[in-house]
Amino acid sequence: MKTARIATFLTVAASSASIGSAYERELSDERRLGMGKYSGDASSKFAKYDDIYNRCCDQTFETLDSDKSPCKCPVRTFKGWGKWFNIYSKWEDKCETSILAKSSIAALASSNENFSILAGLLEDYSLDVPLSGKGPFTVFAPTNDAFAALLEAIPDVLENRELVDAVLKYHVIEESALKSDDLSNGQVATLNGKSIMIDTTDGVKINAANVIVPFDVEVSNGVVHAIDKVLIPPSE
């Protein structure tokens, strides 16, 4: 009988001890916000990290470019057994440097089914890494329908790796996070080295492509605008 009670006590003690570590993990990178778990209605991992970024990070690019860690969220840490009433528990601001990459342009593309072709090409051409970095960037993102139209017009276009690399970079403006109100008529240089033509006379056009919904999508390292055509850089 005494042996059984000792065994029960040890089982309960082990279970209580595991609660602490499990709960701390529950408050870890993907879920922690404010004074507890993520409480929004976002369904994707990107949206959760984007929410964390917006609440817990210093979003000035001056800070992001400095040596200071830009993202801190209050996280509960403790020792021993129990949860909220543990006398050893305390709240600390902990840094999570991966929040920036997980709420970036590349992360947005990979989380949105309308940009799945773009996301795949960014990965294939190793552009997902720089577009997960500090930026800032402005990206005009062709939808899957835009790529489908291009493939219908030029079926073998994806076989030309040099052209595809040039095309992808032609959709990126470096060192600027430009919302639609910031755009003005004229030429702007791209990561490709060639310039795009912006026309704001009737809506916003980039060369022959229209900026469509969603536009002005702010992420941790820039701004994304969807467009309905793939931009092809001039050959010369």
Side-chain angles (χ1 to χ4, degrees), residues 50-193:
D50 186 53
D51 196 357
I52 292 172
Y53 176 80
N54 288 328
R55 295 197 201 185
C56 299
C57 297
D58 184 334
Q59 297 176 53
T60 64
F61 289 110
E62 290 77 10
T63 299
L64 294 180
D65 286 337
S66 75
D67 293 332
K68 297 178 182 177
S69 181
C71 299
K72 292 185 179 181
C73 287
V75 181
R76 194 167 191 205
T77 58
F78 46 85
K79 299 177 181 178
W81 302 346
K83 290 189 179 181
W84 297 99
F85 303 109
N86 186 318
I87 62 173
Y88 296 107
S89 67
K90 60 181 178 179
W91 287 91
E92 296 179 330
D93 278 345
K94 288 193 173 181
C95 299
E96 174 47 62
T97 55
S98 64
I99 291 175
L100 179 66
K102 292 173 181 176
S103 58
S104 66
I105 291 168
L108 172 66
S110 65
S111 72
N112 190 317
E113 61 182 12
N114 291 322
F115 298 131
S116 61
I117 296 176
L118 174 63
L121 290 172
L122 292 176
E123 184 175 355
D124 288 345
Y125 285 79
S126 301
L127 290 173
D128 56 327
V129 174
L131 290 180
S132 297
K134 293 178 181 178
F137 304 101
T138 302
V139 171
F140 300 100
T143 63
N144 286 351
D145 288 344
F147 276 107
L150 176 65
L151 290 169
E152 185 176 350
I154 314 174
D156 60 348
V157 64
L158 295 184
E159 297 176 14
N160 188 335
R161 291 191 64 84
E162 185 177 350
L163 174 61
V164 174
D165 182 73
V167 166
L168 292 173
K169 292 176 180 177
Y170 193 53
H171 291 74
V172 181
I173 299 173
E174 288 186 286
E175 300 180 1
S176 297
L178 301 173
K179 299 178 71 173
S180 54
D181 288 344
D182 301 320
L183 300 172
S184 57
N185 294 337
Q187 293 188 333
V188 179
T190 68
L191 183 60
N192 165 283

